[in-house]
Amino acid sequence: MNLTHFLLELVAAAVGTVGFSILFQVAPRHFPFCGLVGAIGWLVYRLVQWSSDSTPLATFLATLVLTACARWFSTLRRTPTLVFLLSGIFTLVPGAYIYYTAYYIFMNQPDGAVAQAYTTLMFAVAIALGILVGYSLPARLFGWRRNVNPQDGNNPQ
């Protein structure tokens, strides 16, 4: 793969993410950040896939980074994290595997359906674990601060 092809993939990931943002009726002022989240997720996915040759690991790490970016942008933009996460995650969803699982089921080919379903499940678990670990990171890493009321008596001085 050459650099031009790789950059085109990143642009396609960003454009696709913005497309899903439009579909989910995200405010247009968030489109660049949604696109950036999708592109970063795809970048991590391709780099890990290239270096480790493990697609489930690449999916997990890309989802983890994507979730962290979504949390950071949500703090920066004062918007719910799901605005960026839902749009950005679609670059990692194993759509072809889901399609072929259904295809083999309808074509009455149980061996192919089981193999595709197993692969789909691996990717789904990798995505779920990536989101879980990303949400387990402390909120202060992303700029969240607890509001301290001076009347509380519990504020540090």
Side-chain angles (χ1 to χ4, degrees):
M1 175 185 348
N2 61 21
L3 181 62
T4 305
H5 182 73
F6 186 69
L7 291 175
L8 282 175
E9 282 187 14
L10 291 178
V11 169
V15 169
T17 302
V18 171
F20 278 106
S21 301
I22 293 168
L23 183 67
F24 291 140
Q25 299 179 356
V26 171
R29 68 180 184 275
H30 299 306
F31 288 169
F33 294 93
C34 289
L36 190 58
V37 167
I40 289 171
W42 188 253
L43 172 71
V44 172
Y45 174 80
R46 293 298 280 166
L47 290 176
V48 174
Q49 188 183 37
W50 174 72
S51 65
S52 74
D53 202 32
S54 172
T55 307
L57 177 64
T59 302
F60 168 75
L61 291 175
T63 304
L64 174 62
V65 170
L66 188 143
T67 303
C69 286
R71 289 186 68 193
W72 185 59
F73 285 145
S74 73
T75 304
L76 186 69
R77 306 288 296 171
R78 299 186 190 278
T79 305
T81 305
L82 288 178
V83 167
F84 305 108
L85 183 62
L86 281 180
S87 300
I89 202 73
F90 277 99
T91 58
L92 302 176
V93 170
Y97 291 106
I98 296 168
Y99 170 81
Y100 282 113
T101 301
Y103 174 80
Y104 287 130
I105 289 171
F106 289 122
M107 297 308 281
N108 199 21
Q109 297 178 6
D111 293 339
V114 168
Q116 292 297 318
Y118 175 74
T119 305
T120 303
L121 187 62
M122 270 195 323
F123 291 132
V125 167
I127 289 170
L129 288 175
I131 292 171
L132 179 71
V133 172
Y135 268 106
S136 298
L137 297 172
R140 67 175 177 247
L141 290 176
F142 306 102
W144 285 99
R145 289 179 180 49
R146 216 172 31 169
N147 290 335
V148 179
N149 185 354
Q151 309 302 342
D152 252 352
N154 293 332
N155 58 341
Q157 297 197 11

